[in-house]
Amino acid sequence: MQPSDTVQPIVLLVDKEDPAAHLDAVAAAAAASVSAYARRTEDDAWDNWVYGRFTKSVRRAGPKMFEKMAASAPSGTVAVGRAKAAAFEPVSYEEMPKKLRALQVSGTHLPDGEPAPASPGTPLIIVNADLEMSTGKAGAQAAHALMAWYLTLSAEERVAWYDDGAGRASVRLAAGAEFETLAKAPGAGPLIVDAGMTEIAPNTATAFVAAAG
């Protein structure tokens, strides 16, 4: 199976009566994605995917369905503020469980709001504000950025991120020259450039993990 044949499903809680803030939801999706990989018990489902394009699909679920889906997710439930997300092993679209496949992908737009304060040492994902991505699209791009950053860490650093930070992440927006400057700073994580399959043009820079400190 080729890397492009598999996708990691990420389920995002969308509570219409008490919606989470957009940036918290983006951070939760990213942290859930990498937490599922960090908690893996075998590599068979991950090897081709993680060293390929590590394609992700952020899907939304209401509170009851989210709790059912999260109960079987390798990531468990990852919470950032009021946002919750759960992520699964990569799978082909054809082999994806019907309940996951049935969840909506496009059109997930959570409201702007004050994001939850980040704990010290939590990796900060910078998302390109010029693109005005939906919550789902931004969550997938942030997850790409956090995974690319995680893969640069030593074994000890990976354990520290998951154990000490409980697999957390935070997100902020940056636009124009600020985004470009932060992306080029020494110690910044790999810059994610999108293939342009949905929402944005091909070869568009979308996100990265900011340099620590």
Side-chain angles (χ1 to χ4, degrees), residues 9-12 57-62 64-72 86 88 91-105:
I10 303 170
V11 180
L12 187 64
S57 174
V58 178
R59 296 162 181 266
R60 65 180 181 270
K64 290 184 179 179
M65 180 57 73
F66 178 84
E67 293 304 324
K68 289 180 181 179
M69 302 305 295
S72 62
F88 296 80
V91 65
S92 69
Y93 282 104
E94 294 77 15
E95 295 174 335
M96 190 180 298
K98 290 182 179 179
K99 288 184 178 180
L100 265 176
R101 199 164 58 225
L103 298 177
Q104 292 293 316
V105 177

mmCIF file of all heavy atoms in Angstrom, residues 9-12 57-62 64-72 86 88 91-105:
data_model
loop_
_atom_site.group_PDB
_atom_site.id
_atom_site.type_symbol
_atom_site.label_atom_id
_atom_site.label_comp_id
_atom_site.label_asym_id
_atom_site.label_seq_id
_atom_site.Cartn_x
_atom_site.Cartn_y
_atom_site.Cartn_z
ATOM 1 N N PRO A 9 -7.915 9.269 10.197
ATOM 2 C CA PRO A 9 -9.132 9.973 10.600
ATOM 3 C C PRO A 9 -8.950 10.638 11.964
ATOM 4 O O PRO A 9 -8.432 10.028 12.903
ATOM 5 C CB PRO A 9 -10.190 8.862 10.684
ATOM 6 C CG PRO A 9 -9.563 7.648 10.062
ATOM 7 C CD PRO A 9 -8.089 7.807 10.263
ATOM 8 N N ILE A 10 -9.351 11.891 12.051
ATOM 9 C CA ILE A 10 -9.377 12.633 13.305
ATOM 10 C C ILE A 10 -10.812 13.109 13.505
ATOM 11 O O ILE A 10 -11.399 13.715 12.603
ATOM 12 C CB ILE A 10 -8.432 13.844 13.259
ATOM 13 C CG1 ILE A 10 -6.998 13.412 12.944
ATOM 14 C CG2 ILE A 10 -8.468 14.617 14.582
ATOM 15 C CD1 ILE A 10 -6.056 14.557 12.634
ATOM 16 N N VAL A 11 -11.374 12.829 14.666
ATOM 17 C CA VAL A 11 -12.757 13.231 14.947
ATOM 18 C C VAL A 11 -12.734 14.398 15.915
ATOM 19 O O VAL A 11 -12.106 14.330 16.982
ATOM 20 C CB VAL A 11 -13.566 12.062 15.525
ATOM 21 C CG1 VAL A 11 -15.007 12.504 15.821
ATOM 22 C CG2 VAL A 11 -13.584 10.891 14.554
ATOM 23 N N LEU A 12 -13.414 15.454 15.541
ATOM 24 C CA LEU A 12 -13.466 16.681 16.331
ATOM 25 C C LEU A 12 -14.871 16.853 16.903
ATOM 26 O O LEU A 12 -15.861 16.730 16.178
ATOM 27 C CB LEU A 12 -13.125 17.868 15.435
ATOM 28 C CG LEU A 12 -12.952 19.244 16.079
ATOM 29 C CD1 LEU A 12 -11.762 19.240 17.025
ATOM 30 C CD2 LEU A 12 -12.771 20.292 14.992
ATOM 31 N N SER A 57 -7.678 13.398 7.791
ATOM 32 C CA SER A 57 -9.050 13.795 7.483
ATOM 33 C C SER A 57 -9.748 14.145 8.792
ATOM 34 O O SER A 57 -9.968 13.271 9.631
ATOM 35 C CB SER A 57 -9.783 12.641 6.781
ATOM 36 O OG SER A 57 -11.141 12.945 6.595
ATOM 37 N N VAL A 58 -10.049 15.434 8.982
ATOM 38 C CA VAL A 58 -10.703 15.877 10.215
ATOM 39 C C VAL A 58 -12.210 15.845 10.002
ATOM 40 O O VAL A 58 -12.751 16.532 9.136
ATOM 41 C CB VAL A 58 -10.241 17.289 10.617
ATOM 42 C CG1 VAL A 58 -10.967 17.747 11.883
ATOM 43 C CG2 VAL A 58 -8.728 17.303 10.847
ATOM 44 N N ARG A 59 -12.886 15.036 10.814
ATOM 45 C CA ARG A 59 -14.326 14.840 10.698
ATOM 46 C C ARG A 59 -15.007 15.311 11.969
ATOM 47 O O ARG A 59 -14.406 15.275 13.040
ATOM 48 C CB ARG A 59 -14.625 13.352 10.452
ATOM 49 C CG ARG A 59 -14.046 12.878 9.132
ATOM 50 C CD ARG A 59 -13.897 11.376 8.994
ATOM 51 N NE ARG A 59 -13.312 11.088 7.691
ATOM 52 C CZ ARG A 59 -14.015 10.804 6.603
ATOM 53 N NH1 ARG A 59 -15.341 10.714 6.681
ATOM 54 N NH2 ARG A 59 -13.432 10.605 5.452
ATOM 55 N N ARG A 60 -16.229 15.753 11.873
ATOM 56 C CA ARG A 60 -16.913 16.302 13.034
ATOM 57 C C ARG A 60 -18.002 15.362 13.532
ATOM 58 O O ARG A 60 -18.619 14.618 12.766
ATOM 59 C CB ARG A 60 -17.493 17.676 12.730
ATOM 60 C CG ARG A 60 -18.589 17.715 11.682
ATOM 61 C CD ARG A 60 -19.061 19.162 11.493
ATOM 62 N NE ARG A 60 -20.127 19.278 10.518
ATOM 63 C CZ ARG A 60 -19.940 19.475 9.224
ATOM 64 N NH1 ARG A 60 -18.720 19.551 8.726
ATOM 65 N NH2 ARG A 60 -20.976 19.587 8.402
ATOM 66 N N ALA A 61 -18.227 15.434 14.848
ATOM 67 C CA ALA A 61 -19.262 14.611 15.481
ATOM 68 C C ALA A 61 -19.888 15.390 16.628
ATOM 69 O O ALA A 61 -19.201 16.148 17.312
ATOM 70 C CB ALA A 61 -18.679 13.302 15.986
ATOM 71 N N GLY A 62 -21.186 15.191 16.843
ATOM 72 C CA GLY A 62 -21.860 15.767 17.998
ATOM 73 C C GLY A 62 -21.437 15.059 19.267
ATOM 74 O O GLY A 62 -20.722 14.049 19.225
ATOM 75 N N LYS A 64 -22.730 12.974 21.591
ATOM 76 C CA LYS A 64 -22.962 11.546 21.815
ATOM 77 C C LYS A 64 -22.118 10.682 20.892
ATOM 78 O O LYS A 64 -21.487 9.707 21.323
ATOM 79 C CB LYS A 64 -24.444 11.228 21.639
ATOM 80 C CG LYS A 64 -25.326 11.781 22.745
ATOM 81 C CD LYS A 64 -26.772 11.346 22.558
ATOM 82 C CE LYS A 64 -27.644 11.886 23.685
ATOM 83 N NZ LYS A 64 -29.077 11.484 23.520
ATOM 84 N N MET A 65 -22.097 11.025 19.618
ATOM 85 C CA MET A 65 -21.302 10.249 18.670
ATOM 86 C C MET A 65 -19.821 10.395 18.965
ATOM 87 O O MET A 65 -19.058 9.428 18.849
ATOM 88 C CB MET A 65 -21.599 10.690 17.239
ATOM 89 C CG MET A 65 -20.799 9.931 16.171
ATOM 90 S SD MET A 65 -21.044 8.121 16.250
ATOM 91 C CE MET A 65 -22.712 8.012 15.585
ATOM 92 N N PHE A 66 -19.394 11.596 19.371
ATOM 93 C CA PHE A 66 -17.979 11.778 19.685
ATOM 94 C C PHE A 66 -17.549 10.847 20.805
ATOM 95 O O PHE A 66 -16.499 10.204 20.718
ATOM 96 C CB PHE A 66 -17.678 13.229 20.068
ATOM 97 C CG PHE A 66 -16.236 13.425 20.453
ATOM 98 C CD1 PHE A 66 -15.271 13.629 19.487
ATOM 99 C CD2 PHE A 66 -15.837 13.363 21.783
ATOM 100 C CE1 PHE A 66 -13.933 13.765 19.833
ATOM 101 C CE2 PHE A 66 -14.512 13.501 22.134
ATOM 102 C CZ PHE A 66 -13.547 13.704 21.161
ATOM 103 N N GLU A 67 -18.327 10.754 21.864
ATOM 104 C CA GLU A 67 -17.951 9.897 22.990
ATOM 105 C C GLU A 67 -17.855 8.438 22.563
ATOM 106 O O GLU A 67 -16.960 7.708 23.000
ATOM 107 C CB GLU A 67 -18.951 10.063 24.136
ATOM 108 C CG GLU A 67 -18.909 11.442 24.793
ATOM 109 C CD GLU A 67 -17.538 11.822 25.320
ATOM 110 O OE1 GLU A 67 -16.815 10.940 25.822
ATOM 111 O OE2 GLU A 67 -17.176 13.012 25.233
ATOM 112 N N LYS A 68 -18.749 8.005 21.688
ATOM 113 C CA LYS A 68 -18.693 6.621 21.195
ATOM 114 C C LYS A 68 -17.432 6.387 20.376
ATOM 115 O O LYS A 68 -16.759 5.358 20.531
ATOM 116 C CB LYS A 68 -19.921 6.328 20.339
ATOM 117 C CG LYS A 68 -21.224 6.232 21.119
ATOM 118 C CD LYS A 68 -22.383 5.931 20.183
ATOM 119 C CE LYS A 68 -23.703 5.855 20.946
ATOM 120 N NZ LYS A 68 -24.847 5.595 20.032
ATOM 121 N N MET A 69 -17.103 7.334 19.510
ATOM 122 C CA MET A 69 -15.936 7.168 18.658
ATOM 123 C C MET A 69 -14.640 7.258 19.463
ATOM 124 O O MET A 69 -13.708 6.488 19.254
ATOM 125 C CB MET A 69 -15.939 8.231 17.556
ATOM 126 C CG MET A 69 -17.172 8.228 16.660
ATOM 127 S SD MET A 69 -17.500 6.635 15.877
ATOM 128 C CE MET A 69 -16.067 6.479 14.841
ATOM 129 N N ALA A 70 -14.577 8.198 20.399
ATOM 130 C CA ALA A 70 -13.354 8.405 21.171
ATOM 131 C C ALA A 70 -13.010 7.207 22.044
ATOM 132 O O ALA A 70 -11.842 6.976 22.348
ATOM 133 C CB ALA A 70 -13.475 9.658 22.029
ATOM 134 N N ALA A 71 -14.030 6.447 22.433
ATOM 135 C CA ALA A 71 -13.792 5.289 23.303
ATOM 136 C C ALA A 71 -12.894 4.249 22.648
ATOM 137 O O ALA A 71 -12.206 3.494 23.344
ATOM 138 C CB ALA A 71 -15.127 4.662 23.694
ATOM 139 N N SER A 72 -12.859 4.219 21.328
ATOM 140 C CA SER A 72 -12.030 3.232 20.624
ATOM 141 C C SER A 72 -10.824 3.852 19.933
ATOM 142 O O SER A 72 -10.108 3.170 19.193
ATOM 143 C CB SER A 72 -12.884 2.496 19.577
ATOM 144 O OG SER A 72 -13.380 3.400 18.605
ATOM 145 N N ALA A 86 -10.213 13.198 18.865
ATOM 146 C CA ALA A 86 -9.718 11.831 18.983
ATOM 147 C C ALA A 86 -9.213 11.401 17.618
ATOM 148 O O ALA A 86 -9.786 11.772 16.593
ATOM 149 C CB ALA A 86 -10.819 10.892 19.465
ATOM 150 N N PHE A 88 -7.255 8.226 15.053
ATOM 151 C CA PHE A 88 -7.189 6.789 14.817
ATOM 152 C C PHE A 88 -5.963 6.427 13.990
ATOM 153 O O PHE A 88 -5.226 7.294 13.520
ATOM 154 C CB PHE A 88 -8.463 6.343 14.090
ATOM 155 C CG PHE A 88 -9.706 6.546 14.904
ATOM 156 C CD1 PHE A 88 -10.302 7.796 14.988
ATOM 157 C CD2 PHE A 88 -10.261 5.506 15.621
ATOM 158 C CE1 PHE A 88 -11.444 8.004 15.760
ATOM 159 C CE2 PHE A 88 -11.398 5.700 16.396
ATOM 160 C CZ PHE A 88 -11.985 6.950 16.462
ATOM 161 N N VAL A 91 -5.718 4.464 7.668
ATOM 162 C CA VAL A 91 -6.479 3.397 7.020
ATOM 163 C C VAL A 91 -6.868 3.871 5.625
ATOM 164 O O VAL A 91 -6.933 5.075 5.359
ATOM 165 C CB VAL A 91 -7.738 3.060 7.861
ATOM 166 C CG1 VAL A 91 -8.706 4.238 7.911
ATOM 167 C CG2 VAL A 91 -8.429 1.808 7.381
ATOM 168 N N SER A 92 -7.115 2.955 4.718
ATOM 169 C CA SER A 92 -7.607 3.355 3.403
ATOM 170 C C SER A 92 -9.062 3.790 3.531
ATOM 171 O O SER A 92 -9.766 3.406 4.466
ATOM 172 C CB SER A 92 -7.503 2.186 2.414
ATOM 173 O OG SER A 92 -8.423 1.164 2.754
ATOM 174 N N TYR A 93 -9.522 4.598 2.592
ATOM 175 C CA TYR A 93 -10.913 5.037 2.620
ATOM 176 C C TYR A 93 -11.853 3.830 2.552
ATOM 177 O O TYR A 93 -12.895 3.806 3.202
ATOM 178 C CB TYR A 93 -11.198 5.995 1.466
ATOM 179 C CG TYR A 93 -10.687 7.394 1.709
ATOM 180 C CD1 TYR A 93 -9.528 7.846 1.067
ATOM 181 C CD2 TYR A 93 -11.335 8.264 2.575
ATOM 182 C CE1 TYR A 93 -9.048 9.121 1.292
ATOM 183 C CE2 TYR A 93 -10.861 9.543 2.797
ATOM 184 C CZ TYR A 93 -9.720 9.969 2.151
ATOM 185 O OH TYR A 93 -9.243 11.234 2.375
ATOM 186 N N GLU A 94 -11.463 2.829 1.770
ATOM 187 C CA GLU A 94 -12.310 1.653 1.623
ATOM 188 C C GLU A 94 -12.411 0.846 2.910
ATOM 189 O O GLU A 94 -13.445 0.243 3.190
ATOM 190 C CB GLU A 94 -11.777 0.757 0.490
ATOM 191 C CG GLU A 94 -11.857 1.367 -0.904
ATOM 192 C CD GLU A 94 -10.765 2.410 -1.149
ATOM 193 O OE1 GLU A 94 -9.784 2.455 -0.362
ATOM 194 O OE2 GLU A 94 -10.912 3.187 -2.112
ATOM 195 N N GLU A 95 -11.341 0.836 3.701
ATOM 196 C CA GLU A 95 -11.316 0.050 4.935
ATOM 197 C C GLU A 95 -11.725 0.851 6.159
ATOM 198 O O GLU A 95 -11.823 0.303 7.256
ATOM 199 C CB GLU A 95 -9.917 -0.529 5.139
ATOM 200 C CG GLU A 95 -9.510 -1.532 4.070
ATOM 201 C CD GLU A 95 -8.066 -1.968 4.221
ATOM 202 O OE1 GLU A 95 -7.274 -1.193 4.809
ATOM 203 O OE2 GLU A 95 -7.735 -3.063 3.753
ATOM 204 N N MET A 96 -11.983 2.138 6.005
ATOM 205 C CA MET A 96 -12.378 2.960 7.138
ATOM 206 C C MET A 96 -13.730 2.479 7.673
ATOM 207 O O MET A 96 -14.658 2.237 6.892
ATOM 208 C CB MET A 96 -12.485 4.427 6.717
ATOM 209 C CG MET A 96 -12.651 5.403 7.877
ATOM 210 S SD MET A 96 -12.780 7.141 7.323
ATOM 211 C CE MET A 96 -11.180 7.369 6.528
ATOM 212 N N PRO A 97 -13.871 2.304 8.984
ATOM 213 C CA PRO A 97 -15.162 1.882 9.547
ATOM 214 C C PRO A 97 -16.299 2.787 9.092
ATOM 215 O O PRO A 97 -16.122 4.004 8.948
ATOM 216 C CB PRO A 97 -14.926 1.998 11.059
ATOM 217 C CG PRO A 97 -13.452 1.808 11.221
ATOM 218 C CD PRO A 97 -12.829 2.452 10.019
ATOM 219 N N LYS A 98 -17.445 2.197 8.872
ATOM 220 C CA LYS A 98 -18.580 2.942 8.315
ATOM 221 C C LYS A 98 -18.956 4.145 9.173
ATOM 222 O O LYS A 98 -19.304 5.204 8.646
ATOM 223 C CB LYS A 98 -19.776 2.013 8.155
ATOM 224 C CG LYS A 98 -19.606 0.975 7.044
ATOM 225 C CD LYS A 98 -20.853 0.126 6.907
ATOM 226 C CE LYS A 98 -20.677 -0.886 5.779
ATOM 227 N NZ LYS A 98 -21.895 -1.755 5.643
ATOM 228 N N LYS A 99 -18.902 4.006 10.495
ATOM 229 C CA LYS A 99 -19.286 5.124 11.363
ATOM 230 C C LYS A 99 -18.335 6.307 11.195
ATOM 231 O O LYS A 99 -18.755 7.467 11.253
ATOM 232 C CB LYS A 99 -19.329 4.674 12.818
ATOM 233 C CG LYS A 99 -20.512 3.763 13.143
ATOM 234 C CD LYS A 99 -20.558 3.425 14.625
ATOM 235 C CE LYS A 99 -21.757 2.557 14.951
ATOM 236 N NZ LYS A 99 -21.816 2.217 16.396
ATOM 237 N N LEU A 100 -17.050 6.007 10.995
ATOM 238 C CA LEU A 100 -16.084 7.078 10.762
ATOM 239 C C LEU A 100 -16.298 7.703 9.383
ATOM 240 O O LEU A 100 -16.296 8.919 9.234
ATOM 241 C CB LEU A 100 -14.663 6.523 10.853
ATOM 242 C CG LEU A 100 -13.934 6.626 12.182
ATOM 243 C CD1 LEU A 100 -12.582 5.932 12.104
ATOM 244 C CD2 LEU A 100 -13.747 8.074 12.592
ATOM 245 N N ARG A 101 -16.490 6.841 8.402
ATOM 246 C CA ARG A 101 -16.645 7.323 7.026
ATOM 247 C C ARG A 101 -17.883 8.187 6.871
ATOM 248 O O ARG A 101 -17.933 9.086 6.030
ATOM 249 C CB ARG A 101 -16.688 6.133 6.076
ATOM 250 C CG ARG A 101 -16.394 6.469 4.628
ATOM 251 C CD ARG A 101 -16.075 5.230 3.818
ATOM 252 N NE ARG A 101 -17.147 4.269 3.850
ATOM 253 C CZ ARG A 101 -16.990 2.967 4.043
ATOM 254 N NH1 ARG A 101 -15.786 2.480 4.262
ATOM 255 N NH2 ARG A 101 -18.012 2.148 4.029
ATOM 256 N N ALA A 102 -18.901 7.921 7.701
ATOM 257 C CA ALA A 102 -20.167 8.647 7.589
ATOM 258 C C ALA A 102 -20.101 10.055 8.174
ATOM 259 O O ALA A 102 -20.965 10.882 7.894
ATOM 260 C CB ALA A 102 -21.282 7.861 8.285
ATOM 261 N N LEU A 103 -19.087 10.347 8.989
ATOM 262 C CA LEU A 103 -18.990 11.671 9.601
ATOM 263 C C LEU A 103 -18.616 12.725 8.568
ATOM 264 O O LEU A 103 -17.807 12.477 7.676
ATOM 265 C CB LEU A 103 -17.954 11.656 10.732
ATOM 266 C CG LEU A 103 -18.256 10.725 11.913
ATOM 267 C CD1 LEU A 103 -17.100 10.762 12.907
ATOM 268 C CD2 LEU A 103 -19.560 11.098 12.586
ATOM 269 N N GLN A 104 -19.178 13.916 8.710
ATOM 270 C CA GLN A 104 -18.942 14.998 7.766
ATOM 271 C C GLN A 104 -17.522 15.545 7.881
ATOM 272 O O GLN A 104 -16.974 15.668 8.974
ATOM 273 C CB GLN A 104 -19.938 16.128 8.003
ATOM 274 C CG GLN A 104 -21.370 15.762 7.657
ATOM 275 C CD GLN A 104 -21.561 15.544 6.159
ATOM 276 O OE1 GLN A 104 -21.077 16.318 5.348
ATOM 277 N NE2 GLN A 104 -22.244 14.476 5.802
ATOM 278 N N VAL A 105 -16.946 15.890 6.727
ATOM 279 C CA VAL A 105 -15.590 16.429 6.674
ATOM 280 C C VAL A 105 -15.606 17.937 6.430
ATOM 281 O O VAL A 105 -15.021 18.708 7.190
ATOM 282 C CB VAL A 105 -14.756 15.727 5.583
ATOM 283 C CG1 VAL A 105 -13.363 16.338 5.490
ATOM 284 C CG2 VAL A 105 -14.678 14.235 5.852
#
